[in-house]
């Protein structure tokens, strides 16, 4: 009997903990599958997906920088992909590609359930307008914060992302603003770094004054790459959280889509924390 194959496609992808997480989900839910990781050339995303399908792959996760291409490639997109125009989870069925995006629900579950921080009525700053930011904006709006400001290095991308979400923001009675990083003003209850600045070892993309006292500062990156942002946040008096919980929670949603079984995400998150502490 052939084993069901899944993988994560990205560039870079070497740092990814997704294979470990999915292997653990499979063990804990009694599912039989193999989940690998594949480094994809920057101009090679579509052939890489087609090759994995031809090998019998059942689905894949998609990470930086291919999430927009993943949505465009799919024959069917979920409502959340239609809004984000970015996908992190592809399912292959009868030769068709179905796209979904579990990043946002993963982030919101990690902030609200795992960190115990209620987003409703808060003022949020979302840094970035790439595939990750696009995927989390809709689910953040569904948590009914008072406002969300989307700030990106390239302002037109922030404006386009906010424009796509204007109707949802109005329905949620959440104020939605956008600006370039250089025009950013004000302070916020929650600052979410969805830029790739930590991944590239770049500088913190905003001033410390963006954090209100006792704010939550969240970097979607995790592991050593997130440490600079986390240290900076603590120095400003904020509580800092990296994206490891989001990684596990978005993986749990993908696993549920693929296998029809919800894995124990909180257990796997504490196990992963222990593994990483042991490796440090
Ligand atoms: P992407 O589509 O390539 O977008 C990159 C974003 O970062 C763009 O908004 C870009 O701005 C901005 N950027 C890049 N370098 C910057 C710098 N030095 N200063 C300020 N802004 C910078 O990537 P992505 O898919 O959105 O991923 C972003 C990050 O989220 C990555 O670190 C990824 O690993 C992480 N992530 C984590 C999880 C998780 O589960 N924890 C899930 C998804 C993503 P411009 O538009 O101006 O170029």
């Amino acid at each position: 009997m052939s084993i069901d194959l899944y993988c994560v496609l990205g560039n870079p992808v070497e740092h990814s903990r997704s294979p470990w997480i999915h292997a653990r989900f499979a063990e804990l839910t009694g599912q039989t599958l193999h989940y690998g990781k594949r480094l994809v050339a920057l101009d090679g995303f579509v052939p890489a997906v087609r090759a994995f399908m031809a090998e019998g792959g059942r689905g894949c996760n998609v990470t930086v920088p291919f999430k927009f291409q993943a949505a465009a490639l799919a024959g069917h997109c979920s409502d959340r992909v239609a809004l984000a125009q970015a996908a992190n989870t592809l399912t292959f069925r009868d030769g068709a590609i179905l796209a979904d995006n579990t990043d946002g629900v993963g982030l919101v579950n990690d902030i609200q359930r795992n960190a115990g921080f209620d987003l409703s009525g808060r003022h949020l700053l979302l840094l970035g307008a790439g595939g990750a930011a696009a995927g989390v904006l809709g689910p953040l709006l569904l948590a009914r914060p008072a406002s969300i400001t989307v700030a990106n290095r390239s302002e037109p991308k922030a404006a386009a992302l906010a424009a796509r979400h204007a109707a949802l923001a109005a329905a949620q009675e959440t104020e939605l603003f956008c600006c370039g990083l250089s025009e950013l003003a004000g302070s916020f209850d929650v600052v979410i770094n969805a830029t790739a600045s930590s991944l590239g070892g770049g500088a913190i993309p905003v001033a410390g004054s963006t954090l209100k006292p006792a704010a939550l500062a969240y970097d979607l990156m995790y592991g050593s790459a997130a440490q600079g942002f986390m240290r900076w946040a603590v120095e400003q008096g904020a509580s800092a959280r990296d994206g490891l919980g989001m990684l596990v929670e978005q993986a749990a949603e993908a696993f549920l889509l693929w296998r029809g079984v919800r894995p124990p995400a909180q257990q796997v998150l504490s196990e992963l924390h222990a593994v990483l502490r042991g490796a440090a």
Side-chain angles (χ1 to χ4, degrees):
M1 197 185 74
S2 64
I3 192 164
D4 290 348
L5 299 177
Y6 299 89
C7 72
V8 56
L9 302 175
N11 186 338
V13 79
E14 195 42 46
H15 66 284
S16 176
R17 297 285 172 172
S18 292
W20 188 93
I21 293 166
H22 281 277
R24 200 64 195 113
F25 285 168
E27 268 178 273
L28 291 168
T29 57
Q31 299 277 309
T32 306
L33 57 87
H34 180 267
Y35 186 112
K37 57 184 162 192
R38 292 188 175 196
L39 178 67
V40 175
L42 291 175
D43 60 353
F45 177 69
V46 174
V49 174
R50 298 276 180 221
F52 188 54
M53 288 176 80
E55 288 165 37
R58 300 285 300 268
C60 65
N61 285 128
V62 178
T63 187
V64 61
F66 301 120
K67 291 181 182 183
F68 292 115
Q69 284 185 65
L73 178 64
H76 178 270
C77 293
S78 68
D79 289 348
R80 44 196 185 191
V81 171
L83 197 55
Q85 294 181 5
N88 77 331
T89 304
L90 300 180
T91 304
F92 310 140
R93 197 169 294 150
D94 303 326
I97 301 175
L98 319 181
D100 208 332
N101 196 319
T102 65
D103 277 341
V105 68
L107 173 67
V108 170
N109 283 348
D110 189 47
I111 292 178
Q112 300 209 126
R113 201 165 60 197
N114 300 343
F117 193 101
D118 188 2
L119 292 169
S120 65
R122 308 289 190 139
H123 295 278
L124 273 53
L125 171 60
L126 177 62
L127 300 170
V136 303
L137 182 54
L140 286 171
L141 285 166
L142 293 176
R144 301 194 77 133
S147 74
I148 302 183
T149 299
V150 181
N152 193 45
R153 193 169 57 176
S154 138
E155 192 276 338
K157 278 165 76 175
L161 183 58
R164 285 209 301 283
H165 288 75
L168 177 59
Q172 297 299 107
E173 298 180 358
T174 296
E175 289 190 282
L176 184 57
F177 306 106
C178 62
C179 63
L181 276 181
S182 50
E183 295 102 52
L184 183 62
S187 56
F188 302 86
D189 301 305
V190 184
V191 173
I192 298 169
N193 185 16
T195 75
S197 65
S198 297
L199 193 62
I204 307 303
V206 287
S209 55
T210 54
L211 290 160
K212 283 187 182 173
L216 172 68
Y218 195 109
D219 195 336
L220 264 54
M221 198 55 213
Y222 53 88
S224 56
Q227 291 311 307
F229 183 87
M230 306 263 290
R231 257 195 314 275
W232 166 82
V234 170
E235 279 162 18
Q236 317 303 316
S239 40
R241 191 167 178 91
D242 73 7
L244 200 66
M246 172 182 172
L247 179 76
V248 174
E249 293 286 351
Q250 63 77 28
E253 297 293 323
F255 193 91
L256 175 63
L257 283 171
W258 288 330
R259 310 300 297 183
V261 183
R262 181 172 286 286
Q266 285 174 317
Q267 176 187 338
V268 172
L269 176 57
S270 28
E271 288 178 4
L272 185 53
H273 273 301
V275 168
L276 295 179
R277 269 196 304 274

